[in-house]
Amino acid sequence: MARIHLIAAREDLPPEQQPAFEEIAGSRGGRVAGPFQVLLHSPELARRIAHTGSYVRFDSTLPADVRELAIIASARANDCQYEWAAHEPLARSTGVRPEAIAAIRDGTAPAGLTPQEALVVGFTHQLLKANRVSEATFAAALETFGTQGLVELAATIGYYSMLACALIAFDVQPERPA
Amino acid sequence: MTRIPEITSREQLPPEGYSAFDQVVSVYNGRVVGPFRVLFHSPELARRACTIGAFLRLDSPLPHSVRELAVIAVARELDCHYEWMAHENGARRAGVREEAIEAVRNGKTEGLDQEEALVVGFVHELLRLNRVSEATFHALLARFGAQGLTELTGTIGFYRFFACALNAFEVPPDSPINLPAIARQS
């Protein structure tokens, strides 16, 4: 369920717009996920966002577990149920500790987090909730991830917060309970 | 002061980043605008992200005044000084009323007309409350249609993406701005 028709099959689009659907599906193992099912109401916008997302998701220099930790921390900060449901399993499979996932989900973080987990979660939380990052957190994050890595961390948080806008505005529900 | 070195010329990049630099800069008539001064530390990411903004600014049928009103509302909501600086005059040029710019600047709804209040309220609900009421959603859909509302939502999301980069790295505005601190309650 969502607030508008979800474009879940290429036949939902007129023929001249189907290449956007196919490109997105092709970049993600044949699947067009929730955010793109709404964004495809503007096919060229959807295509360009997905292309950016492919970099964030598949080509970024960040370690996969750091990326997924930042994504679930963003989903939590933005109360985005769909994103949480979609990425909690990916966080697990990329090696994020179950204790860290639970602490983020339950809002008890940073209690129970390792220093590096607390750094990523704190950076995400400060950026999304306070619109700024403290000197101490910034300096530690720069030391840990380097300049390119930290730019990509901020971009990962920004990208998933962009998707959250679409998911929340159109009330896209998780495909399984979150 | 930006917290990392700003990239403002292609020679700061390795040669494999040159084409990304040139492509982004050409979209902005030769200028390196704030978000890219940091995003260029990841040139391919910068190149791809730039295509989203180019679509929204150049190709989206959304009225420019609506887009620019949404952008300054995002800048206000996220306290993003660079974004406010870059778009206050853009909003004016696109025809956003002076009274509306002042209301957004001060985080107030008084003085907004019905459509302005709808757009600014949408930004507020989306970014501050993480939910959008049925009434707001249906008024937006009736006004802008499915494609228009998707592009309005994409605009808010994209300038939120930019604001994450600008705020994380504290990219300062190029010229002084007036964006007073405001107290907020969710």
Side-chain angles (χ1 to χ4, degrees):
Chain A
M1 271 302 289
R3 283 166 158 171
I4 54 170
H5 172 66
L6 293 175
I7 297 173
R10 120 188 130 163
E11 293 73 25
D12 292 337
L13 291 170
E16 69 275 15
Q17 295 180 341
Q18 291 180 7
F21 186 95
E22 282 162 15
E23 183 178 320
I24 295 169
S27 68
R28 285 160 171 74
R31 226 175 128 257
V32 170
F36 300 108
Q37 293 180 14
V38 293
L39 290 170
L40 275 163
H41 284 280
S42 175
E44 183 58 23
L45 176 62
R47 197 183 70 72
R48 295 185 189 199
I49 290 177
H51 190 51
T52 304
S54 293
Y55 184 88
V56 171
R57 179 93 179 263
F58 306 120
D59 300 332
S60 149
T61 60
L62 282 178
D65 61 332
V66 172
R67 180 191 72 227
E68 293 298 328
L69 186 62
I71 296 170
I72 60 169
S74 299
R76 171 75 275 178
N78 295 327
D79 297 325
C80 186
Q81 299 274 339
Y82 182 97
E83 220 160 62
W84 180 274
H87 282 273
E88 183 189 337
L90 292 169
R92 282 181 204 286
S93 66
T94 55
V96 179
R97 295 183 314 122
E99 296 84 347
I101 296 172
I104 296 165
R105 181 186 54 225
D106 301 337
T108 55
L113 299 185
T114 67
Q116 178 165 316
E117 289 162 355
L119 182 59
V120 172
V121 173
F123 186 91
T124 306
H125 186 85
Q126 290 176 39
L127 189 53
L128 295 179
K129 290 297 188 189
N131 302 322
R132 55 193 158 72
V133 177
S134 72
E135 286 299 326
T137 299
F138 184 87
L142 188 62
E143 170 82 24
T144 303
F145 301 112
T147 304
Q148 182 175 354
L150 191 54
V151 167
E152 294 182 352
L153 180 63
T156 300
I157 296 163
Y159 176 77
Y160 283 92
S161 295
M162 171 165 60
L163 293 190
C165 284
L167 292 162
I168 288 169
F170 293 97
D171 205 15
V172 181
Q173 296 300 312
E175 288 155 28
R176 58 183 197 88
Chain B
M1 260 289 278
T2 303
R3 285 167 150 176
I4 56 175
E6 290 193 353
I7 294 179
T8 53
S9 74
R10 77 205 295 255
E11 286 69 32
Q12 292 171 266
L13 293 176
E16 59 270 25
Y18 286 0
S19 72
F21 184 92
D22 294 346
Q23 194 176 326
V24 170
V25 166
S26 73
V27 169
Y28 292 94
N29 301 316
R31 292 188 310 134
V32 182
V33 295
F36 293 102
R37 296 172 199 161
V38 293
L39 290 173
F40 274 144
H41 285 281
S42 178
E44 180 59 20
L45 171 65
R47 193 181 69 72
R48 296 189 189 195
C50 181
T51 67
I52 303 171
F55 175 83
L56 294 169
R57 291 192 305 118
L58 307 173
D59 301 332
S60 166
L62 202 65
H64 291 184
S65 61
V66 172
R67 184 193 68 218
E68 290 298 319
L69 179 62
V71 175
I72 60 169
V74 171
R76 168 71 277 179
E77 201 61 60
L78 302 180
D79 297 322
C80 187
H81 290 196
Y82 184 93
E83 210 160 72
W84 182 274
M85 180 279 301
H87 287 272
E88 180 181 344
N89 280 325
R92 224 167 249 136
R93 278 195 304 275
V96 178
R97 294 183 317 123
E98 210 57 47
E99 296 84 344
I101 295 173
E102 285 315 302
V104 173
R105 185 199 312 280
N106 296 303
K108 303 207 178 305
T109 51
E110 295 86 4
L112 298 178
D113 70 24
Q114 204 173 359
E115 177 167 301
E116 290 160 354
L118 182 61
V119 171
V120 174
F122 181 44
V123 173
H124 180 87
E125 291 183 42
L126 203 44
L127 299 186
R128 193 60 44 184
L129 309 180
N130 298 322
R131 58 190 156 71
V132 176
S133 69
E134 288 294 320
T136 299
F137 181 83
H138 289 291
L140 287 162
L141 189 62
R143 170 64 186 85
F144 298 110
Q147 180 180 348
L149 183 51
T150 300
E151 293 176 1
L152 178 58
T153 307
T155 298
I156 297 165
F158 181 70
Y159 285 91
R160 184 188 213 183
F161 169 85
F162 265 0
C164 280
L166 293 162
N167 284 343
F169 296 99
E170 296 189 345
V171 179
D174 296 333
S175 51
I177 59 160
N178 172 17
L179 193 65
I182 52 173
R184 286 195 189 85
Q185 293 183 320
S186 292

